[in-house]
Amino acid sequence: MPPTAGGSSAHCGAQLRNAGLANAMLRGAGLAHANLRSADLRSADLRSADLQGADLQVANLTAARLGSANLNAATLRDGHLSRCDLHQADLQNADLRHARLQGATLDMADLTGSNLSDADLCNAALRGADLQGADLSGARLRATDFTGANLRGAQLRAPLNSAILEGADLRGTYLHGHDLTGARMRGANLSGANLNRVSLTGADLRDADLSGAQIWYSSLVQADLSGANLMGTLSDDDLLVPGLNSLHMDGARWNLATEWPPEVYIAIRSRSVAVGEGAFVVAPSRVHDHAPVPQPVS
């Protein structure tokens, strides 16, 4: 029979290093500052448990249930957390360096200020999670779902091109030099972000907010900008030379709901081809559609 702990049990500072607690029923357990280093907690039930400041370094939490658990400032470095359920968990300032979180669920989790550098988050779900100020340097993010996540101020020195960033809050984020080829960023808020020298080739930016973003020497080739807000993004005269040399946009798709600065709209429309009612594709600079210029949505 697996070990159990009642919801009122308190084991603050408990010494459980290397403990065998697989399948343990520890829902609501008080384990603040406990030493659980290298413990076997596979499939354990730790929902709503208090693990604040606990040492879970190298612990095996594969498929464990930690929904709504308090892991504030906990150490989970090198931990095994694949397929772990951490929805709505408090992971503020947690140490998750090199943690294995493949397929984990972190929806609505609070990861503010957490360290996820070099963590493996492939196929993990962080929908609606708060990652403000989190460090994701070197993290593996293949098919990671950040839909609706708050990534403001996060360190994102990691490949993001296969991550799902639909509706993500990336306001003011430093993404200089990133490869976001084919990124799924519909409805994302990128206002004020640094997108200089970024490849957004083929990216889905429908309804995204890029207002005030810097996108010097970047690629929007074949990107979908339908309904996107680019106000204040392309305001410098150097971006208005024939061909828009510093911003590559050949094949980019947009529509009358796309918001451009007025002077940029004229330049963009002059080299775009109508492909449907109110829909356009930016042609190579040597090809122009001289049809009357329609008015953008006010």
Side-chain angles (χ1 to χ4, degrees), residues 22 25-26 85 90 95 127 142-143 147-148 157 226 266 287 298:
M25 304 299 291
L26 296 164
D85 182 1
D90 182 353
D95 183 353
R127 295 176 290 256
R142 188 181 68 252
T147 299
R157 294 189 295 273
S226 302
I266 294 170
V287 178
S298 58

Side-chain angles (χ1 to χ4, degrees), residues 76 81 86 91 93-101 106 111-121 126 130-131 133-141 146 151 154-155 158:
L76 293 143
L81 294 115
L86 287 152
L91 287 151
N93 302 306
D95 183 353
L96 288 150
R97 287 175 289 173
H98 301 279
R100 298 161 181 82
L101 287 150
L106 294 118
L111 289 142
T112 306
S114 61
N115 191 338
L116 287 150
S117 58
D118 298 305
D120 190 341
L121 286 155
L126 292 100
D130 191 345
L131 290 136
D135 187 352
L136 289 139
S137 304
R140 288 171 285 287
L141 302 171
F146 289 107
L151 289 152
Q155 296 183 46

Side-chain angles (χ1 to χ4, degrees), residues 227-239:
N229 181 358
L230 292 109
M231 295 297 290
T233 299
L234 307 172
S235 58
D236 194 283
D237 287 343
D238 289 338
L239 292 174

Side-chain angles (χ1 to χ4, degrees), residues 190-237:
L190 290 150
S191 60
N194 186 325
L195 297 165
N196 293 332
R197 300 187 184 277
V198 169
S199 173
L200 286 157
T201 300
D204 183 357
L205 289 159
R206 288 174 292 172
D207 304 314
D209 185 355
L210 291 100
S211 59
Q214 301 174 44
I215 49 175
W216 286 84
Y217 304 105
S218 298
S219 172
L220 286 165
V221 171
Q222 296 183 342
D224 193 341
L225 295 163
S226 302
N229 181 358
L230 292 109
M231 295 297 290
T233 299
L234 307 172
S235 58
D236 194 283
D237 287 343

Side-chain angles (χ1 to χ4, degrees), residues 2-262:
T4 62
S8 61
S9 296
H11 304 284
C12 185
Q15 297 299 310
L16 295 165
R17 182 168 182 162
N18 297 313
L21 294 166
N23 299 301
M25 304 299 291
L26 296 164
R27 185 170 185 174
L31 292 162
H33 306 288
N35 182 353
L36 286 154
R37 183 178 290 211
S38 302
D40 182 359
L41 287 154
R42 288 173 295 169
S43 301
D45 186 352
L46 286 154
R47 287 174 290 175
S48 301
D50 184 2
L51 289 152
Q52 181 174 1
D55 184 354
L56 288 150
Q57 191 168 173
V58 202
N60 191 342
L61 288 148
T62 302
R65 288 178 288 174
L66 285 149
S68 301
N70 181 4
L71 288 150
N72 192 308
T75 300
L76 293 143
R77 184 173 181 176
D78 295 301
H80 300 265
L81 294 115
S82 59
R83 305 190 313 281
C84 187
D85 182 1
L86 287 152
H87 79 277
Q88 295 186 322
D90 182 353
L91 287 151
Q92 295 181 71
N93 302 306
D95 183 353
L96 288 150
R97 287 175 289 173
H98 301 279
R100 298 161 181 82
L101 287 150
Q102 306 99 313
T105 300
L106 294 118
D107 295 341
M108 303 302 293
D110 189 346
L111 289 142
T112 306
S114 61
N115 191 338
L116 287 150
S117 58
D118 298 305
D120 190 341
L121 286 155
C122 294
N123 298 298
L126 292 100
R127 295 176 290 256
D130 191 345
L131 290 136
Q132 291 186 79
D135 187 352
L136 289 139
S137 304
R140 288 171 285 287
L141 302 171
R142 188 181 68 252
T144 306
D145 190 349
F146 289 107
T147 299
N150 187 345
L151 289 152
R152 294 190 70 183
Q155 296 183 46
L156 292 166
R157 294 189 295 273
L160 286 166
N161 56 312
S162 67
I164 302 167
L165 294 158
E166 296 178 354
D169 187 345
L170 291 151
R171 284 176 289 174
T173 303
Y174 185 83
L175 293 166
H176 184 283
H178 266 72
D179 181 5
L180 289 165
T181 301
R184 295 165 58 180
M185 305 180 81
R186 184 173 187 172
N189 191 338
L190 290 150
S191 60
N194 186 325
L195 297 165
N196 293 332
R197 300 187 184 277
V198 169
S199 173
L200 286 157
T201 300
D204 183 357
L205 289 159
R206 288 174 292 172
D207 304 314
D209 185 355
L210 291 100
S211 59
Q214 301 174 44
I215 49 175
W216 286 84
Y217 304 105
S218 298
S219 172
L220 286 165
V221 171
Q222 296 183 342
D224 193 341
L225 295 163
S226 302
N229 181 358
L230 292 109
M231 295 297 290
T233 299
L234 307 172
S235 58
D236 194 283
D237 287 343
D238 289 338
L239 292 174
L240 303 177
V241 297
L244 301 179
N245 293 324
S246 59
L247 180 65
H248 305 286
M249 297 189 69
D250 292 0
R253 187 180 184 89
W254 59 281
N255 61 16
L256 290 179
T258 304
E259 298 181 63
W260 306 94

